[in-house]
């Protein structure tokens, strides 16, 4: 704490300033002592100093109070700036952490999404293949049943036609099996599932 922040420091400064105010207070004190007939005595010096102190005290108190408030405001401002700096550091740290967490979550979501897409694509492809085989078998069975139920077709022609339908059915089923066996290669070639 500086001397100017205290009443004592302010008072000493004012009393030692030899200002017109102090000269006037000194003169007033001596005039009071002179009225009592004590002009050249130690009491006159005391009266003079007392008058100077009485005149300087309110000024010293006011100045010290202002200096103290000024120091308090400066300290408060410094504390506010430091608090803001700490707040900014905290906010920056939190923003960085949030960004890192967001990027990690996006990566997990992307990986999960690709896994889900792969599983969905594979399941759809297998489902399509199963439906296709079911349809191929059903069409073959219906064709055979229609041939056998037709009285206008001779037995030898029925055998040839049934063999032809059976051969086409087996060929279509083998084609579907080939697609199924090469499914991973097809999915890998899309570029979506390079780890297959």
């Amino acid at each position: 704490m500086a001397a100017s922040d205290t009443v004592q420091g302010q008072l000493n400064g004012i009393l030692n300033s030899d200002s017109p105010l102090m000269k006037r207070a000194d003169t007033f004190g001596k005039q009071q002592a002179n009225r009592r007939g004590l002009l050249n005595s130690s009491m006159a010096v005391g009266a003079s100093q007392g008058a100077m102190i009485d005149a300087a005290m309110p000024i010293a108190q006011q100045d010290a109070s202002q200096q103290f408030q000024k120091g308090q405001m400066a300290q408060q401002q410094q504390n506010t700036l430091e608090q803001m700096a700490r707040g900014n550091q905290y906010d920056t740290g939190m923003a960085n952490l949030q960004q890192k967490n967001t990027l990690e979550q996006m990566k997990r979501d992307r990986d999960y999404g690709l896994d889900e897409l792969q599983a969905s694509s594979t399941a759809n492809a297998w489902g399509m293949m199963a439906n296709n085989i079911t349809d191929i078998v059903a069409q073959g069975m219906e064709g055979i049943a229609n041939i056998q139920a037709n009285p206008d077709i001779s037995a030898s022609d029925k055998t040839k036609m049934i063999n032809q339908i059976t051969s086409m059915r087996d060929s279509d089923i083998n084609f579907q099996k080939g697609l199924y066996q090469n499914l991973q290669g097809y999915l890998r070639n899309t570029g979506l599932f390079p780890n297959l």
Side-chain angles (χ1 to χ4, degrees):
M1 181 182 291
S4 62
D5 291 347
T6 66
V7 174
Q8 179 182 359
Q10 287 289 335
L11 188 59
N12 286 337
I14 294 170
L15 291 174
N16 293 328
S17 69
D18 199 32
S19 68
L21 176 66
M22 289 300 98
K23 289 178 183 177
R24 183 172 177 221
D26 181 43
T27 301
F28 178 76
K30 288 178 182 176
Q31 287 173 349
Q32 292 295 328
N34 189 31
R35 282 190 206 125
R36 294 186 191 124
L38 304 169
L39 183 60
N40 293 324
S41 68
S42 62
M43 291 181 77
V45 174
S48 173
Q49 287 179 348
M52 290 172 65
I53 291 171
D54 289 344
M57 183 61 76
I59 297 169
Q61 289 174 329
Q62 181 66 30
D63 287 352
S65 175
Q66 288 176 348
Q67 287 291 353
F68 178 76
Q69 288 175 359
K70 184 178 172 184
Q72 287 290 94
M73 287 175 60
Q75 184 62 50
Q76 192 172 28
Q77 189 176 32
Q78 179 66 30
N79 290 346
T80 300
L81 290 173
E82 289 174 2
Q83 182 65 33
M84 286 173 62
R86 285 192 296 271
N88 285 341
Q89 287 175 345
Y90 174 79
D91 290 346
T92 300
M94 288 303 289
N96 288 341
L97 181 61
Q98 181 74 28
Q99 184 179 23
K100 179 183 174 190
N101 289 344
T102 300
L103 290 173
E104 289 174 357
Q105 184 61 46
M106 287 172 63
K107 183 180 181 304
R108 284 192 299 270
D109 289 348
R110 185 201 68 211
D111 292 346
Y112 176 76
L114 286 176
D115 290 345
E116 200 171 60
L117 182 60
Q118 176 187 351
S120 175
S121 298
T122 303
N124 286 340
W126 290 338
M128 289 294 292
M129 183 206 67
N131 286 341
N132 289 344
I133 289 177
T134 301
D135 288 345
I136 291 167
V137 170
Q139 288 171 3
M141 299 278 290
E142 183 181 350
I144 292 170
N146 288 338
I147 290 170
Q148 288 178 338
N150 192 334
D152 297 331
I153 302 174
S154 68
S156 64
D157 287 338
K158 284 184 182 182
T159 302
K160 287 180 190 174
M161 293 172 74
I162 290 173
N163 286 340
Q164 187 179 13
I165 288 175
T166 304
S167 175
M168 288 172 50
R169 180 200 64 199
D170 293 345
S171 176
D172 287 346
I173 289 173
N174 286 332
F175 175 76
Q176 291 296 321
K177 284 182 182 179
L179 287 177
Y180 170 76
Q181 290 169 349
N182 293 316
L183 178 62
Q184 285 190 352
Y186 293 138
L187 291 176
R188 186 184 308 112
N189 290 339
T190 65
L192 292 174
F193 313 112
N195 294 326
L196 285 174

